[in-house]
């Protein structure tokens, strides 16, 4: 009954490379193509965070989107925007800097904090666009 899915879209720019240090240069280029470029490359990421819940009778909101935006910016965007995912971001250390790994780390950050700003809302999905055509979705 009455479950509504509420989403907020945010944006950040970040650099990375996909490179497995256990492989030869040739194998990295074969598997990752231009994403293995030694001197990094950047993407304009879009991220859509979806919270599900029942609307609070007092506000009519599942979650206050202004609060959700502030939370995403403070806890995620500020950690990632204009950063190098391989080098500058503590929670991506020692991981392949793929969209798949990134979206799972973002989930770990946001999932516990959503209940602090919403009575009924819980994190439902994070959709991360690396390019307008390439994106990943994570449901926890
Ligand atoms: Ni890339």
């Amino acid at each position: 009954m009455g479950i509504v899915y509420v989403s907020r879209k945010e944006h950040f720019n970040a650099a990375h490379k996909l490179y497995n240090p256990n492989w030869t240069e040739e194998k990295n280029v074969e598997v990752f193509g231009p994403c293995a470029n030694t001197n990094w490359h950047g993407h304009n990421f879009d991220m859509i965070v979806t919270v599900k819940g029942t609307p609070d009778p007092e506000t009519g909101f599942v979650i206050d989107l202004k609060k959700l935006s502030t939370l995403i910016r403070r806890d995620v965007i500020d950690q990632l925007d204009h950063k190098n995912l391989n080098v500058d971001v503590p929670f991506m250390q020692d991981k392949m800097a793929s969209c798949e790994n990134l979206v799972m780390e973002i989930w770990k950050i946001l999932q516990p904090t959503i209940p602090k700003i919403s009575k009924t809302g819980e994190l439902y999905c994070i959709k991360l666009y690396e390019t307008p055509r390439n994106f990943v979705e994570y449901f926890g």
Side-chain angles (χ1 to χ4, degrees), residues 5-118:
Y5 298 77
V6 178
S7 298
R8 172 74 191 179
K9 184 176 181 180
E10 298 287 348
H11 180 79
F12 60 96
N13 306 312
H16 77 158
K17 69 177 169 185
L18 293 174
Y19 187 87
N20 186 325
N22 300 318
W23 295 349
T24 62
E25 183 69 31
E26 292 70 31
K27 178 152 186 193
N28 273 287
V29 170
E30 184 194 318
V31 173
F32 299 124
C35 265
N37 180 46
T38 307
N39 291 324
W40 325 101
H41 63 278
H43 292 285
N44 296 313
F45 289 90
D46 274 322
M47 178 172 74
I48 298 172
V49 174
T50 302
V51 173
K52 79 167 188 178
T54 52
D56 183 323
E58 289 184 322
T59 60
F61 294 160
V62 171
I63 190 164
D64 182 332
L65 281 171
K66 181 87 177 63
K67 287 183 186 169
L68 179 60
S69 173
T70 302
L71 182 86
I72 297 168
R73 282 160 187 253
R74 188 195 65 198
D75 291 354
V76 178
I77 304 295
D78 287 355
Q79 318 303 317
L80 299 174
D81 192 33
H82 287 73
K83 300 286 170 63
N84 181 320
L85 300 179
N86 299 73
V87 178
D88 300 325
V89 179
F91 58 80
M92 290 301 289
Q93 295 299 303
D94 305 318
K95 295 185 180 72
M96 295 296 294
S98 66
C99 260
E100 289 88 332
N101 285 339
L102 183 56
V103 79
M104 289 192 290
E105 292 304 313
I106 294 170
W107 180 282
K108 280 189 219 163
I109 293 167
L110 290 179
Q111 194 265 337
T113 58
I114 302 288
K116 292 177 187 164
I117 57 166
S118 170

